[in-house]
Amino acid sequence: MKILVLSTFDIWPAKDGGQNRFVNIWSNFSASFEITILVYDFRNQSISRSYKISNNVEVILPKASAGDAGHFNYLMEKSGLWLHDVLCINDYNFSLEFIQELTKQVHACDIIVASHPYLANIAFPLAPRRVARVYESHNVEADIKRDYFKRSKHRAHIRSWITAVRQVERFAVQTSHLVTAVSNQDALRLKEIYDCSYKNISVVPNGTNIINLPTISQEDLTTLRQILDAGEGLVGVFLGSNFQANVESYKLSREMLDAADFRGTMLIVGSIADADRSTWKEVNFSERWLGFVSSEVRDSVLVSSDFALHLMFSGAGTNLKLFDYMGSGLPIIANAFGRRGVDGSDWSLPADSLEELKWSLAALRESAETVESRRDNARRIAVDRFDWHSIARRFEAELLKMYDPTSMRAALDTYFGGPGGQRRLALHNF
């Protein structure tokens, strides 16, 4: 079976959550699936290129349009926002190389997957009626982009951008045979705003590659902390990309830690180190900004830490680093928003208020039994539900169950042939 997956960004090297989801979902599919990930990324200006992330998964990046790149740069300067995915809806002309490759791949595949909605409006109408259509959402885009657009320096276009995102996501939801969400909360939200209760929405969560952190002696722990320049007191870890929700997460979390009289050391790993921190307040604890590191160094940081910090305040969907923390067996300090996508709260230490954060920091020092119980619950949940391999296999099963050309043709006849059908079909030109 041939699957075509659409992306608006290159997926390798996998430095952020979206890239990690692409790599880990599709490379864990069975060898019986032939998977092509087709990317339209305005930055690929030199030549068309391709590479493989596994034996049966190929990534193709056609050369992008110089005009599209110029338009992106113009709006980036005016708005201060990264609008590439949004511009794919109705601003870009796309390159001839991309259109030719898209047409070729669409007619060769059995299933087309819009990973994010932004290329659905150009690709879905090109697909033969025998091809199954899937919208694989990473977030509820209408919600996450509405919050993102508020940061724009260029206010005039915000309303039109919000409208465009809602329209393209509605189109992706309502013209797909299968819609996936990363959490039950997102599934309910998609049903609510796009009136798609009749649709088959399945949860395909974010996950982690379960790791077994090595048992470490006190002598080795002391050596590692000396290398990391982690002084006396508790040592916490924060993993994060330079994605705005992660930057806001740590910025507000460090202020709460300071107010809670945390006086240990925070180890901050990932491209969040590149964020502009010039206006951040001084804090009375130590911070070690390690930047993007190898998986071996990351594991050493995790095994050196007493807790993982996961207070989220914005964004949508679920955050991949949560499952890294759960799978590693670290105690996790999390607020309710950070726990999205995982039922219950008996696997984390609370931090929805300053008082709760103080209690959690005290528990790490004084209540070993409570901490170990919640830590073990978190790892058990990760192993049972959030391992990438098992997530991919459940996704496979959903695709195979959904793939029925006869029923798909009937569904499309109803959708496109009914009242307003031609208007809906033309949404990619709005």
Side-chain angles (χ1 to χ4, degrees):
M1 179 176 288
K2 294 184 177 181
I3 300 176
L4 173 64
V5 185
L6 306 172
S7 174
T8 56
F9 53 85
D10 196 3
I11 68 169
W12 191 264
K15 293 185 176 182
D16 63 27
Q19 291 173 314
N20 273 289
R21 180 178 172 90
F22 268 101
V23 170
N24 286 292
I25 285 278
W26 299 110
S27 64
N28 275 295
F29 261 56
S30 303
S32 58
F33 291 85
E34 182 181 331
I35 300 164
T36 299
I37 301 174
L38 181 61
V39 178
Y40 190 70
D41 190 327
F42 76 91
R43 293 166 292 188
N44 191 51
Q45 287 289 303
S46 55
I47 59 171
S48 297
R49 58 190 177 88
S50 65
Y51 58 89
K52 286 197 170 187
I53 58 172
S54 69
N55 288 336
N56 61 318
V57 182
E58 182 179 27
V59 181
I60 299 177
L61 286 94
K63 180 181 176 182
S65 162
D68 290 346
H71 187 51
F72 167 86
N73 290 327
Y74 169 74
L75 282 177
M76 177 73 172
E77 184 177 348
K78 289 196 69 174
S79 68
L81 302 182
W82 185 278
L83 295 169
H84 167 64
D85 50 5
V86 178
L87 297 178
C88 285
I89 303 172
N90 57 15
D91 280 49
Y92 284 166
N93 290 319
F94 297 102
S95 64
L96 178 61
E97 291 88 343
F98 174 73
I99 295 298
Q100 289 177 335
E101 190 65 40
L102 174 63
T103 303
K104 171 187 168 184
Q105 294 293 336
V106 159
H107 284 81
C109 71
D110 300 300
I111 298 173
I112 182 171
V113 179
S115 194
H116 295 88
Y118 298 104
L119 293 171
N121 59 331
I122 187 173
F124 280 11
L126 291 176
R129 294 171 72 185
R130 63 170 178 78
V131 174
R133 295 156 177 80
V134 177
Y135 171 38
E136 183 210 356
S137 69
H138 292 220
N139 305 284
V140 178
E141 290 295 318
D143 290 345
I144 198 169
K145 282 295 194 283
R146 182 192 62 237
D147 293 339
Y148 181 60
F149 295 152
K150 291 176 183 177
R151 303 185 178 98
S152 177
K153 298 183 297 184
H154 183 59
R155 312 295 295 178
H157 284 72
I158 290 179
R159 184 181 297 274
S160 64
W161 292 337
I162 291 173
T163 299
V165 171
R166 286 183 69 94
Q167 285 182 314
V168 77
E169 189 165 46
R170 180 182 297 277
F171 178 77
V173 168
Q174 294 189 343
T175 58
S176 292
H177 303 97
L178 174 68
V179 176
T180 72
V182 296
S183 68
N184 287 322
Q185 294 96 319
D186 274 15
L188 291 172
R189 180 64 176 152
L190 288 171
K191 289 179 180 180
E192 174 191 353
I193 62 179
Y194 297 123
D195 189 27
C196 56
S197 59
Y198 61 94
K199 283 289 184 182
N200 180 17
I201 300 184
S202 297
V203 173
V204 179
N206 288 318
T208 186
N209 292 306
I210 302 297
I211 58 176
N212 293 307
L213 292 178
T215 302
I216 186 170
S217 67
Q218 185 59 48
E219 181 181 359
D220 287 339
L221 177 61
T222 300
T223 300
L224 275 174
R225 290 191 174 183
Q226 287 175 344
I227 293 171
L228 293 166
D229 195 18
E232 298 296 323
L234 292 171
V235 176
V237 61
F238 181 94
L239 307 177
S241 67
N242 195 13
F243 178 57
Q244 184 60 37
N246 287 325
V247 175
E248 181 182 26
S249 167
Y250 184 66
K251 179 176 182 290
L252 297 178
S253 296
R254 69 194 290 275
E255 292 174 7
M256 285 186 67
L257 280 174
D258 197 43
D261 296 323
F262 175 69
R263 297 297 179 261
T265 302
M266 283 299 302
L267 307 174
I268 305 99
V269 177
S271 59
I272 187 175
D274 299 328
D276 179 7
R277 308 192 301 275
S278 59
T279 62
W280 289 22
K281 299 176 180 178
E282 294 291 329
V283 291
N284 294 302
F285 58 86
S286 299
E287 295 176 300
R288 304 288 176 257
W289 294 86
L290 303 178
F292 185 75
V293 300
S294 67
S295 58
E296 292 79 12
V297 173
R298 182 203 63 183
D299 292 350
S300 296
V301 171
L302 290 172
V303 80
S304 303
S305 303
D306 296 308
F307 68 95
L309 187 65
H310 191 66
L311 311 186
M312 297 299 295
F313 304 95
S314 63
T318 56
N319 199 285
L320 270 74
K321 64 176 176 284
L322 171 61
F323 306 110
D324 288 338
Y325 297 149
M326 295 175 73
S328 71
L330 267 180
I332 303 164
I333 296 179
N335 59 359
F337 197 64
R339 292 194 297 268
R340 290 165 304 153
V342 185
D343 297 333
S345 59
D346 62 345
W347 51 269
S348 65
L349 299 168
D352 281 296
S353 66
L354 188 59
E355 290 70 25
E356 286 186 348
L357 179 56
K358 288 180 177 180
W359 180 90
S360 294
L361 292 171
L364 286 164
R365 294 188 296 265
E366 304 163 6
S367 303
E369 186 175 341
T370 297
V371 171
E372 288 173 6
S373 172
R374 298 192 182 197
R375 177 199 66 193
D376 293 345
N377 285 344
R379 181 169 169 83
R380 183 165 52 252
I381 292 169
V383 170
D384 290 346
R385 294 175 51 197
F386 297 107
D387 173 64
W388 279 124
H389 180 75
S390 60
I391 290 169
R393 292 308 166 89
R394 292 198 299 270
F395 194 7
E396 277 187 27
E398 291 292 334
L399 292 180
L400 291 171
K401 183 173 66 176
M402 170 272 305
Y403 185 70
D404 179 354
T406 303
S407 64
M408 287 191 296
R409 281 196 298 272
L412 286 174
D413 283 341
T414 300
Y415 185 82
F416 289 119
Q422 292 304 311
R423 178 186 62 79
R424 285 173 171 166
L425 185 60
L427 264 178
H428 65 289
N429 290 321
F430 63 74

